């Protein structure tokens, strides 16, 4: 008598993780997301660990969440996972300001962004 089960948003061999309200601009976040697209997850984790970008730690956390979702929720093998998609979206923008000379006002924009990472299991070619 209850509700129907929601269909999966990703394929059977995929898992997803999403992070909202990351305090950086989408352009800067996309540089880090671009660094891990299409790589195997252990290589992507290594690259994020040794990256000099400030936001790389949050991207690494999201990737680890996607890997944990794949392992625990979808029973996928962690050793065969690749980063299938990593895309960035805009979120809200805080508007702040600062008084400037001659009665003017300097606008300060503090953007937020969101990140979605999908990992996919691929079968090793022997």
């Amino acid at each position: 008598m209850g509700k129907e089960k929601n269909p999966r948003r990703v394929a059977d061999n995929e898992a997803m993780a999403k992070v909202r309200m990351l305090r950086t601009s989408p352009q800067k976040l996309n540089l880090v997301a671009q660094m891990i697209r299409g790589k195997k997850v252990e290589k992507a984790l290594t690259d994020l660990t040794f990256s000099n970008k400030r936001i790389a730690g949050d991207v690494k956390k999201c990737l680890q969440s996607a890997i944990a979702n794949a392992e625990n929720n979808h029973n996928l093998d962690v050793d065969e996972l690749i980063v299938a998609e990593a895309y960035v979206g805009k979120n809200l923008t805080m508007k702040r300001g600062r008084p400037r000379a001659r009665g003017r006002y300097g606008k300060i924009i503090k953007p937020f962004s969101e990140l979605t990472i999908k990992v996919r299991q691929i079968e090793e070619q022997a």
Side-chain angles (χ1 to χ4, degrees):
M1 188 66 205
K3 287 170 49 174
E4 291 286 322
K5 183 178 173 186
N6 283 336
R8 284 197 57 192
R9 291 185 177 89
V10 291
D12 289 336
N13 63 341
E14 287 182 343
M16 183 176 84
K18 191 170 201 172
V19 170
R20 293 188 175 94
M21 299 297 287
L22 285 173
R23 179 60 190 87
T24 186
S25 71
Q27 187 174 8
K28 290 177 185 176
L29 182 59
N30 194 39
L31 291 173
V32 179
Q34 196 173 5
M35 197 168 62
I36 64 169
R37 282 188 196 120
K39 292 187 178 179
K40 294 183 75 63
V41 290
E42 54 268 5
K43 174 75 172 120
L45 284 171
T46 305
D47 288 351
L48 290 172
T49 302
F50 295 107
S51 173
N52 289 328
K53 303 280 188 184
R54 176 189 63 86
I55 203 65
D58 293 326
V59 176
K60 181 181 175 187
K61 219 178 206 183
C62 182
L63 179 58
Q64 287 171 333
S65 176
I67 294 167
N69 289 342
E71 184 179 16
N72 297 322
N73 300 345
H74 307 304
N75 300 321
L76 301 178
D77 185 17
V78 177
D79 298 327
E80 297 178 358
L81 291 178
I82 62 164
V83 180
E85 297 176 28
Y87 52 89
V88 176
K90 282 199 231 179
N91 210 319
L92 69 90
T93 303
M94 290 193 306
K95 279 94 172 175
R96 299 293 184 260
R98 181 184 178 100
R100 305 302 290 175
R102 297 171 58 186
R104 296 204 173 114
Y105 180 75
K107 194 188 310 188
I108 297 173
I109 296 173
K110 299 187 175 196
F112 284 77
S113 49
E114 54 187 51
L115 171 71
T116 305
I117 294 180
K118 286 185 185 177
V119 292
R120 181 178 298 139
Q121 180 177 349
I122 55 164
E123 285 71 33
E124 294 285 330
Q125 302 295 331

